[in-house]
Amino acid sequence: WFAGGNENMYITLHILNSYAHLQNLGVDITGNDDLDITIKYAIKFIDKQFLEQYVNDSKNLANANDRSQIQYLYTRSAFMKQFKPSKEIQKGIDFYSKGLENDWLPLSIEEKATLAITLHRFGNTKVAKKISNQKPIVKMVKNAKNPKYWSKSNIMESILLKSYAKI
């Protein structure tokens, strides 16, 4: 993100999620050529990283429930209309989505909420509702373990609220 700096998947996902949240709030972020180029470059970068991981993971079906892919799927689901994935990327999305929807019970509360939003965006409302209705939101927030970073708690709560409001 800075001249001479290293590329970073986590930071790129975080920045793209921020843009997606702005769009969801009704902020018009289109029409700015620099921003459009930045988002396009960022999508290409995360897709490339994702594809490399998918090529390795697809050799073994046990890798289909890789929880580390939830953030990519969540971010990518917000940009599906603007940036249609290639056929190979879509195969990877389907691979991990299916694996995670079949093995979501051991996920953390935040991962479940994020996955529910993602599956809902991908049109799989049946599983998204099943995940979202597992426990009432108040119990989920109350039972959440103390996060490592202070802001993590707020992020988790906003994701939980969003998942229950949208699904």
Side-chain angles (χ1 to χ4, degrees), residues 16-149:
L16 285 171
N17 277 323
S18 296
Y19 288 134
H21 290 300
L22 287 172
Q23 287 180 317
N24 286 337
L25 292 171
V27 177
D28 184 13
I29 62 170
T30 59
N32 180 326
D33 290 340
D34 290 337
L35 186 57
D36 291 343
I37 290 168
T38 301
I39 292 172
K40 186 176 181 177
Y41 173 78
I43 293 291
K44 283 183 178 181
F45 172 73
I46 66 169
D47 281 353
K48 181 180 175 243
Q49 297 293 312
F50 174 77
L51 190 57
E52 288 174 12
Q53 188 65 46
Y54 166 63
V55 168
N56 289 331
D57 285 351
S58 64
K59 296 171 186 168
N60 183 352
L61 285 177
N63 295 328
N65 64 349
D66 182 355
R67 62 184 358 147
S68 70
Q69 296 302 332
I70 294 172
Q71 281 302 329
Y72 169 83
L73 295 171
Y74 174 75
T75 302
R76 198 59 174 86
S77 70
F79 291 95
M80 294 295 275
K81 291 179 185 172
Q82 292 167 279
F83 301 96
K84 189 175 179 182
S86 68
K87 289 180 182 178
E88 197 63 25
I89 294 290
Q90 187 60 53
K91 278 185 188 177
I93 288 171
D94 294 343
F95 175 78
Y96 291 112
S97 295
K98 289 283 183 205
L100 288 162
E101 76 182 48
N102 291 325
D103 194 23
W104 57 268
L105 283 172
L107 298 176
S108 72
I109 294 167
E110 182 181 1
E111 289 169 329
K112 287 176 185 173
T114 305
L115 181 61
I117 295 167
T118 303
L119 294 175
H120 180 73
R121 287 177 181 168
F122 285 150
N124 190 344
T125 54
K126 183 180 176 183
V127 176
K129 284 181 181 181
K130 186 177 179 181
I131 294 169
S132 293
N133 293 328
Q134 183 192 15
K135 291 181 182 177
I137 189 167
V138 176
K139 285 185 181 178
M140 290 180 82
V141 172
K142 212 182 240 187
N143 292 336
K145 292 187 169 49
N146 290 334
K148 186 174 181 180
Y149 302 102

